[in-house]
Amino acid sequence: MSESEPSMPANLYPAAEEWQAVDRYFTSTLVGEDDALITARASGAETSMPNAEVAANQGAFLGLLAQIVGARRVLEFGTLAGYSTIWFARSVGEDGRVVTLELEADNAVIAETNFRTAAVADRIDTIVGPAAESAARLIDEGTEPFDLVFIDADKPSNSVYLAAAIELTRSGAVIVIDNVVRNGAVADADSTDPRVQGVRQVVNDLASNPELDATALQTVGEKGWDGLIIARRR
Ligand code: DHB
Ligand code: MG
């Protein structure tokens, strides 16, 4: 990921100790993060965007959402170490498919090792290169429609990814966009951060598209103050 973004500190946003304690509580009680996921999370530190993977309880949420949707085919923009990819791969089941798009070949190598460790490599296609180009190729190939799309890559390209997601999904499909609050910066129309403007642009796209119902939720936790958009194709 991270095509033209200023670099971020490893710990992306400050997270209050209380928020972290609550994440630890729910993750230790409700979320079964096994050795493969723990290893995948740890290997995130070796990627070009250290520690950007979703929290364990967020990964579990994404996995549950895929199951609630009955998703058999999931498309992900932004693989990094493949942490969320593994949650999706487990949710789609043996006959399901996850296609994950990653800019950096070195990240993809790390992710594919994690997919083998998690015993889900056979249901994941990792496509290396600029995600906009990879998605355009999937559209050209007339690939089978996806049931759920997770957009979690370079934020300035959110709009491009949403447009591709619309082309690549069926009616009723769910589209989730990560990191849409950015420590509250999203509410600043004058922000000069291209990542914030990337979020605001995709919010405009969603708001003006009558084919999509959408909402956004703020989250706090070990990832600090952030949030996600959930949209559904009519
Ligand atoms: C950024 C990207 C992410 O996917 C994330 O979870 C947090 C931050 C970023 O581009 O800054
Ligand atoms: Mg993210």
Side-chain angles (χ1 to χ4, degrees), residues 57-201:
N57 53 349
Q58 295 171 333
F61 171 81
L62 294 170
L64 279 167
L65 186 63
Q67 291 179 58
I68 291 163
V69 172
R72 309 309 305 274
R73 290 176 55 76
V74 172
L75 174 63
E76 177 177 67
F77 290 82
T79 314
L80 290 179
Y83 181 82
S84 47
T85 326
I86 292 171
W87 280 101
F88 286 127
R90 288 177 168 172
S91 293
V92 297
E94 263 179 48
D95 301 325
R97 199 92 209 139
V98 180
V99 177
T100 186
L101 312 181
E102 173 55 44
L103 175 63
E104 304 282 353
D106 290 350
N107 294 342
V109 168
I110 295 168
E112 286 180 328
T113 301
N114 290 329
F115 301 157
R116 286 190 293 275
T117 302
V120 288
D122 57 341
R123 46 183 106 149
I124 301 172
D125 295 319
T126 309
I127 306 179
V128 175
E133 291 174 19
S134 303
R137 215 154 43 238
L138 291 172
I139 294 167
D140 286 347
E141 289 165 0
T143 192
E144 201 184 319
F146 292 93
D147 308 302
L148 188 151
V149 178
F150 182 46
I151 298 177
D152 188 22
D154 55 302
K155 313 310 173 189
S157 300
N158 274 342
S159 266
V160 173
Y161 300 153
L162 176 67
I166 293 167
E167 297 275 319
L168 286 164
T169 45
R170 62 168 172 83
S171 166
V174 169
I175 299 169
V176 180
I177 308 176
D178 196 23
N179 312 115
V180 301
V181 173
R182 311 202 65 92
N183 224 10
V186 69
D188 177 10
D190 300 325
S191 171
T192 55
D193 184 336
R195 294 165 298 197
V196 172
Q197 291 303 336
V199 173
R200 293 181 63 93
Q201 178 62 53

Side-chain angles (χ1 to χ4, degrees), residues 49 54 63 66 174 195 215:
M49 187 85 192
V54 299
V174 169
R195 294 165 298 197
T215 189

Side-chain angles (χ1 to χ4, degrees), residues 1 3 11 23 26 28 32 44-45 86 95 104 111 119 125 132 150 153 163 166 173 204 224 230:
M1 67 144 293
E3 244 139 313
N11 208 350
D23 264 4
F26 284 129
S28 65
I86 292 171
D95 301 325
E104 304 282 353
D125 295 319
F150 182 46
I166 293 167
N204 282 343
I230 300 188

